[in-house]
Amino acid sequence: MKEFETLKINTENLLNQYKNIRAHSEEICRPLEIEDYVVQPIVDVSPPKWHLGHTTWFFETFILIPNFKGYKEYNSQYNFVFNSYYETVGARVVRTDRGNLSRPSVADVYRYRAYVDEKMEAFLQIGDLKEDLISLLELGLNHEQQHQELLYYDIKYILGHNPLFPPYSNKVVFEKKEIQATEFITMKEGIYEIGFQGEGFSFDNESARHKCYLETYEISSTLVNNADYLHFIEDEGYSDFRHWHSEGWDWVKTQNAKAPLYWHFIDEKWMYYTLNGLQEIDPLAPVCHINFYEASAYAAWKGMRLPTEQEWEAASDRFNWGERWEWTNSAYLPYPGFKKEPGAIGEYNGKFMVNQWVLRGSSDATPKNHSRKTYRNFFHPRLQWQFSGIRLVK
């Protein structure tokens, strides 16, 4: 009886979390004009309308259809429209075509959300959920929070590549100053434990916890700021192949890269696009929208390097983190003892453990209660549109 009561309490908490998290996704989209919902400037950016539909599809597909007796699917075509990469659950719209989806309309996607939310609340109020279903629901909530951060990335890219540089909202400020003296924290050689432990949610790629040996290293207490990075630009860092990996140098030449994403040299001064509109560079704000190639080149220019993800996690209690996702010098690979879940959920992380690099921490765009020091974010090294920055090691 005691075990059942515990699960019921968890279910009540999950219902409140569900309502709050689902409402926050719509809150992020509230400042948008209707035309903003459907734009897809590049393959890596998804239209905001698609995010709203995809996160809804997750709950319908994995929670309601297999578990809620009598549930009627909202629209049988939506599995094709809003499936992202789950081969197990059928065919899907090619990612590059998400911007071609003028239908379903934005209004219809919001009706879809309302329909699924109503059914989910009815389902959760039943209360008698098994532990594995509660775990699946927690995954769905954390999945939606991931898409909330992606919404900020994609909205900024959409508006930041509009020739008018329209502001998203003057109420959202992610370019904050970091006024703190930089020092290097010494971490002694030894054996450290890495990976998630304890209660609460974590993604499968954070397990299993394991030991690793680290040599002595020193890690910066602060992130590289815009003024620091501007010195790299002024020293012709984008023109000197010696600082760059071979692939990074190819990227520089192909893209004609000269500065971070959203930086523009206008009337003899550097400006950058923020969610508040086009502004002059704030020298004290941590540099943002840096890809792995740029982060590595800057570190090489300074005569330093990026931390490995193990070094970052071992030292993370000794510095402040959370303003930018921080590139590490670690490829995204499974931990010792990692096991993929069976079925579609096993596709969530494991299938991406190739040709990507780990970022640690979180960013100003990360939802509250969605960060922890063991969180392993991962992106391809060329990508800049995430809220990413640089911490150095020597």
Side-chain angles (χ1 to χ4, degrees):
M1 182 66 180
K2 184 176 180 180
E3 182 182 357
F4 172 78
E5 289 174 351
T6 300
L7 291 178
K8 187 171 183 179
I9 291 171
N10 287 341
T11 303
E12 292 171 355
N13 291 339
L14 284 171
L15 177 57
N16 290 330
Q17 290 180 44
Y18 179 87
K19 290 179 178 179
N20 292 336
I21 288 172
R22 294 284 287 169
H24 185 57
S25 297
E26 298 184 14
E27 181 67 25
I28 292 171
C29 293
R30 191 156 288 122
L32 298 178
E33 299 292 344
I34 200 70
E35 291 83 358
D36 300 326
Y37 279 89
V38 298
V39 180
Q40 185 181 24
I42 58 172
V43 63
D44 304 298
V45 168
S46 293
K49 177 181 73 173
W50 186 87
H51 287 288
L52 294 176
H54 168 69
T55 50
T56 304
W57 166 88
F58 187 99
F59 291 109
E60 180 179 57
T61 300
F62 296 116
I63 301 290
L64 292 174
I65 291 176
N67 297 292
F68 195 19
K69 187 176 181 180
Y71 176 76
K72 184 178 179 181
E73 190 176 10
Y74 182 80
N75 186 320
S76 59
Q77 290 185 317
Y78 281 13
N79 187 66
F80 176 68
V81 172
F82 293 122
N83 181 6
S84 55
Y85 53 75
Y86 296 91
E87 302 284 352
T88 307
V89 292
R92 61 199 181 280
V93 170
V94 177
R95 185 175 182 178
T96 53
D97 285 348
R98 291 173 185 172
N100 295 333
L101 291 166
S102 59
R103 304 294 175 90
S105 68
V106 174
D108 209 32
V109 170
Y110 274 108
R111 284 191 286 269
Y112 178 41
R113 286 181 69 87
Y115 176 85
V116 169
D117 286 348
E118 179 185 354
K119 303 301 182 184
M120 280 293 298
E121 290 178 26
F123 176 64
L124 292 175
Q125 285 170 349
I126 295 172
D128 186 11
L129 300 183
K130 295 181 179 179
E131 192 167 358
D132 59 344
L133 194 53
I134 290 177
S135 296
L136 184 58
L137 179 56
E138 287 181 324
L139 177 62
L141 295 175
N142 280 270
H143 168 258
E144 179 133 357
Q145 288 181 304
Q146 288 180 312
H147 279 270
Q148 288 168 356
E149 184 157 4
L150 287 169
L151 273 167
Y152 280 123
Y153 299 174
D154 292 355
I155 289 168
K156 185 172 183 178
Y157 197 96
I158 290 166
L159 299 181
H161 285 78
N162 183 313
L164 300 178
F165 297 123
Y168 159 71
S169 171
N170 59 12
K171 297 179 181 179
V172 178
V173 180
F174 289 159
E175 284 74 18
K176 297 182 292 186
K177 295 180 180 180
E178 185 179 80
I179 305 174
Q180 181 183 349
T182 299
E183 60 181 25
F184 277 83
I185 301 162
T186 299
M187 297 293 291
K188 295 181 179 180
E189 66 174 311
I191 297 174
Y192 294 86
E193 289 196 2
I194 302 299
F196 183 81
Q197 70 173 355
E199 299 180 355
F201 177 84
S202 67
F203 289 108
D204 60 357
N205 64 1
E206 300 171 57
S207 299
R209 190 168 174 84
H210 59 284
K211 294 179 174 64
C212 67
Y213 174 79
L214 300 177
E215 297 280 359
T216 298
Y217 62 99
E218 295 178 60
I219 188 166
S220 176
S221 62
T222 61
L223 297 172
V224 172
N225 63 30
N226 287 328
D228 299 327
Y229 201 84
L230 188 55
H231 293 321
F232 173 65
I233 295 173
E234 292 172 342
D235 196 39
E236 299 184 347
Y238 281 87
S239 302
D240 192 338
F241 70 90
R242 293 175 301 172
H243 308 311
W244 298 83
H245 290 111
S246 177
E247 283 190 8
W249 187 238
D250 288 343
W251 173 83
V252 169
K253 292 185 292 183
T254 301
Q255 300 298 320
N256 193 27
K258 299 182 185 300
L261 183 65
Y262 303 121
W263 284 39
H264 305 276
F265 196 62
I266 303 173
D267 295 333
E268 300 302 314
K269 58 185 176 183
W270 282 104
M271 309 287 288
Y272 68 154
Y273 179 78
T274 75
L275 287 170
N276 313 121
L278 194 65
Q279 300 180 359
E280 190 169 351
I281 290 290
D282 180 350
L284 296 181
V287 70
C288 197
H289 302 295
I290 293 291
N291 68 22
F292 175 79
Y293 300 140
E294 293 170 298
S296 297
Y298 177 85
W301 175 75
K302 291 288 288 186
M304 302 186 205
R305 62 177 175 84
L306 303 177
T308 66
E309 65 167 319
Q310 292 81 9
E311 288 172 333
W312 189 97
E313 186 175 323
S316 59
D317 290 336
R318 299 185 61 182
F319 55 76
N320 293 326
W321 52 269
E323 291 182 278
R324 304 286 184 265
W325 283 103
E326 304 176 26
W327 285 106
T328 73
N329 212 24
S330 295
Y332 179 50
L333 296 170
Y335 283 163
F338 171 80
K339 294 181 180 179
K340 287 203 303 183
E341 295 289 331
I345 300 304
E347 298 186 56
Y348 198 86
N349 280 315
K351 66 191 283 184
F352 298 111
M353 291 175 172
V354 61
N355 297 332
Q356 308 207 56
W357 291 85
V358 174
L359 300 92
R360 287 303 198 99
S362 60
S363 79
D364 291 325
T366 306
K368 293 181 179 179
N369 304 317
H370 188 68
S371 61
R372 53 195 165 272
K373 67 181 183 181
T374 59
Y375 199 124
R376 305 176 74 202
N377 208 345
F378 52 93
F379 285 107
H380 290 284
R382 64 177 175 80
L383 294 175
Q384 297 172 292
W385 103 120
Q386 64 272 24
F387 286 71
S388 51
I390 308 169
R391 189 181 301 273
L392 297 176
V393 160
K394 63 180 183 179

